[in-house]
Amino acid sequence: MAIAENIKSFQESLALTNTKLIAVSKTKPNEDLLQAYEAGQRHFGENKVQELTHKSETLPKDIKWHMIGHLQRNKVKYIAPFIHLIHAVDSPRLLKEINKQALKNDRVINCLLQVHIAQEETKFGFDERELNEFLKGQEISTLENINIIGLMGMATNTSDNQQVDAEFKHLKGLFTKINTEISLPNVNLEELSMGMTSDYPIACENGSTMVRIGSAIFGSRNYQQ
């Protein structure tokens, strides 16, 4: 019952800022996802392709699946037929592969470009220079089966809220700048995916349109399962 209550609580609070809740269901059993589904949740985020494809085959077909983890190019083909949104597109090579697999499936796949805004070196994503070069280059206009609908970023894992706030502000600034400077048929920035369980209130204050919440909904995870 707690899962349903958590979903309703988040949906009510996020409605005040018109922010979409992505329930991060990685490692969780179908029973837990169904509790969230029955409480009205339709957007679910997974970070492993094998788990994502299995759940998509066995759970209700009106669920909108979000790939939120690092995606390897050789695994795009498995999610291309059904994925709703790919959050963590961190290179032109990955985007080209998504375009290729989308074409094979007669689809246009929505994507977010992941921007490296954190201080940790372990985070993936474009830096600001790479992002500008790619968006202003010639190659992007040839990718007719992808639609870049926004940006995604992960703040530094720190208790320093001022730093987190500054990183989210930076991403929001890039979002606004791109919308002002770039005019392409397949680049239409509407979504800003930033904020997780630990920092989503700061993300919402900075204009996030999607927050990725897992443990605050489903409880802590057992990665040894």
Side-chain angles (χ1 to χ4, degrees):
M1 194 64 184
I3 292 174
E5 292 170 357
N6 292 340
I7 287 287
K8 289 177 180 176
S9 176
F10 271 107
Q11 288 178 338
E12 287 172 5
S13 64
L14 292 173
L16 301 174
T17 54
N18 202 27
T19 308
K20 201 179 280 108
L21 174 63
I22 312 302
V24 178
S25 47
K26 60 185 183 183
T27 79
K28 294 299 177 179
N30 284 1
E31 293 77 13
D32 287 4
L33 277 74
L34 283 170
Q35 287 185 51
Y37 178 88
E38 287 162 7
Q41 182 64 22
R42 291 297 180 270
H43 293 264
F44 290 85
E46 294 281 335
N47 71 337
K48 300 290 186 186
V49 167
Q50 186 175 1
E51 186 176 356
L52 173 57
T53 53
H54 175 72
K55 286 176 175 174
S56 75
E57 291 165 358
T58 54
L59 287 164
K61 297 306 177 188
D62 61 335
I63 288 178
K64 298 183 187 301
W65 293 103
H66 296 245
M67 178 64 193
I68 62 169
H70 178 62
L71 179 58
Q72 295 174 300
R73 295 194 310 280
N74 63 350
K75 294 187 177 178
V76 174
K77 60 188 175 185
Y78 300 112
I79 63 172
F82 66 88
I83 197 70
H84 176 71
L85 179 61
I86 300 176
H87 284 235
V89 178
D90 57 10
S91 72
R93 293 176 72 196
L94 176 57
L95 203 60
K96 285 172 66 177
E97 182 62 25
I98 295 168
N99 184 76
K100 175 183 171 183
Q101 297 301 331
L103 180 60
K104 286 183 178 180
N105 286 275
D106 195 26
R107 295 190 68 204
V108 174
I109 294 179
N110 289 331
C111 300
L112 305 180
L113 300 182
Q114 182 175 1
V115 183
H116 188 284
I117 59 172
Q119 289 192 349
E120 294 114 328
E121 291 298 321
T122 54
K123 299 284 197 299
F124 294 97
F126 291 85
D127 64 30
E128 190 171 349
R129 178 188 57 80
E130 292 168 336
L131 187 67
N132 282 326
E133 287 180 358
F134 177 61
L135 290 174
K136 293 177 180 178
Q138 295 184 338
E139 185 177 49
I140 189 169
S141 61
T142 67
L143 305 177
E144 297 179 350
N145 286 75
I146 57 99
N147 190 21
I148 298 170
I149 64 168
L151 303 180
M152 177 268 217
M154 297 171 65
T156 302
N157 184 14
T158 176
S159 59
D160 184 348
N161 287 345
Q162 286 186 320
Q163 181 178 342
V164 172
D165 182 67
E167 290 169 355
F168 285 149
K169 274 186 170 60
H170 178 64
L171 187 58
K172 173 65 173 181
L174 282 177
F175 177 89
T176 303
K177 183 171 180 272
I178 291 167
N179 265 338
T180 304
E181 296 180 356
I182 304 295
S183 179
L184 291 168
N186 58 352
V187 180
N188 308 281
L189 301 196
E190 299 174 354
E191 303 288 1
L192 193 52
S193 174
M194 58 185 192
M196 300 186 290
T197 296
S198 61
D199 56 19
Y200 78 90
I202 303 173
C204 289
E205 289 171 8
N206 284 289
S208 175
T209 67
M210 292 181 172
V211 292
R212 309 178 301 274
I213 308 293
S215 57
I217 294 172
F218 297 106
S220 58
R221 297 184 181 88
N222 180 3
Y223 287 100
Q224 295 179 333
Q225 286 182 343

